[in-house]
Amino acid sequence: MTDLMTDQLTPADARRLLDLWDTQQEAYVAHRENRFQAMRDVLRLHLGDRPATVLDLACGPGALTDRVLTELPAARCVAVDYDPMLLRIAAAALTDHGDRADVRDLDLVADDWADRLGVDTVDAVVSSTALHWLSPAQLLAVYTAAARLLRPGGILLNADHLRYGPDAPTRQAVAQRHDEQTQLAGFAAGALRYDTWHTEAAQVPALAALTAERQRRFADRPRQPDAPLEFHLAALRTAGFAEVGTVWQYLDDYVVFARR
């Protein structure tokens, strides 16, 4: 833990915010739980019931780590993020898992993040709806570092929207309309919008003081251009993965797979 996570946030408050996060994300990601289940199935079938270390990149408030630890009772998760508010929530929300959940404050853009991880090897690397914030060069660097951390035979799973390009105009239009309908239905059912969720989180005293630090950390990090599926697969091959592909897809939402 870092000094940014010394103020108390109760597990109950953290769980409430994590539940609101899940509902908010479901308004942006159709069939999100099916996507998570595909990832959990691959991890369970590949890793079995042996003790394993799973690295969750850009873990947010701990949604994927929570599901992985529930699915794999012998596993340990190292969950890293750079958002101080989300880190604080993850650290408190994951307390039910005891020392199997290890939340770390690390910046994936930094060249030495893997060296500072404090773990020599991991059995799997996962991420969900997060790595699109990286530029293509940064994404390749993260994939390369992940390949170095993974033991031989270890796997990487990255779930995200990987948008169709101009060469697929019909699929692009269909996926966009589907996103719009999913969001309208989700918000009508009471889901918070992304910005509204952060406003809600900032009302919690233990998190309010982190607002300025969060803004400082991300002030110079604009949203990056979308990297298509083909770029991810090529980057993974360049990073040293032996087998790359996908294990789940719904329109332009994928779970990308790679084996070291």
Side-chain angles (χ1 to χ4, degrees):
M1 304 298 175
T2 70
D3 290 341
L4 289 172
M5 289 189 281
T6 55
D7 292 341
Q8 183 179 12
L9 175 67
T10 68
D13 279 341
R15 273 286 165 181
R16 180 182 69 85
L17 291 169
L18 180 53
D19 289 343
L20 289 173
W21 174 272
D22 280 339
T23 303
Q24 172 255 130
Q25 286 287 290
E26 287 164 4
Y28 292 99
V29 182
H31 309 299
R32 179 172 177 260
E33 206 57 48
N34 291 343
R35 176 215 263 183
F36 278 146
Q37 189 59 57
M39 299 177 79
R40 298 201 301 264
D41 287 345
V42 171
L43 290 171
R44 175 176 52 80
L45 293 166
H46 185 71
L47 298 175
D49 58 2
R50 64 181 176 82
T53 299
V54 179
L55 172 61
D56 186 357
L57 299 177
C59 66
L64 180 52
T65 289
D66 187 37
R67 288 164 172 80
V68 169
L69 292 175
T70 300
E71 184 78 22
L72 304 174
R76 166 180 177 253
C77 270
V78 180
V80 305
D81 207 289
Y82 193 52
D83 186 315
M85 292 178 66
L86 299 185
L87 283 167
R88 183 76 62 85
I89 295 167
L94 298 172
T95 53
D96 288 347
H97 298 291
D99 60 6
R100 294 199 300 131
D102 184 358
V103 178
R104 307 282 186 89
D105 182 355
L106 286 175
D107 184 4
L108 295 179
V109 173
D111 292 337
D112 63 345
W113 71 265
D115 297 328
R116 296 171 52 216
L117 187 63
V119 176
D120 293 331
T121 59
V122 298
D123 299 280
V125 176
V126 298
S127 188
S128 177
T129 322
L131 299 187
H132 57 259
W133 288 103
L134 300 176
S135 71
Q138 292 165 347
L139 181 63
L140 175 58
V142 166
Y143 279 158
T144 302
R148 290 199 304 267
L149 286 167
L150 279 164
R151 63 170 180 79
I155 61 173
L156 178 146
L157 296 169
N158 178 26
D160 214 339
H161 272 117
L162 306 179
R163 303 299 186 183
Y164 294 121
D167 59 332
T170 303
R171 284 173 289 166
Q172 186 181 63
V174 167
Q176 182 177 345
R177 286 196 293 270
H178 186 266
D179 282 348
E180 292 168 355
Q181 292 175 6
T182 300
Q183 290 173 32
L184 284 173
F187 299 145
L192 299 178
R193 296 178 183 272
Y194 181 79
D195 291 341
T196 308
W197 181 90
H198 280 88
T199 300
E200 175 73 17
Q203 303 306 308
V204 179
L207 300 174
L210 297 175
T211 302
E213 173 62 15
R214 180 176 187 271
Q215 293 173 346
R216 183 192 69 79
R217 289 189 176 197
F218 296 106
D220 60 348
R221 302 198 184 186
R223 176 69 181 265
Q224 298 295 322
D226 293 324
L229 172 64
E230 291 75 18
F231 177 85
H232 283 262
L233 299 181
L236 287 164
R237 292 188 187 98
T238 300
F241 286 90
E243 178 185 351
V244 304
T246 62
V247 293
W248 186 86
Q249 178 188 358
Y250 186 85
L251 296 177
D252 60 357
D253 191 12
Y254 294 87
V255 176
V256 174
F257 168 92
R259 177 184 59 81
R260 183 70 171 95

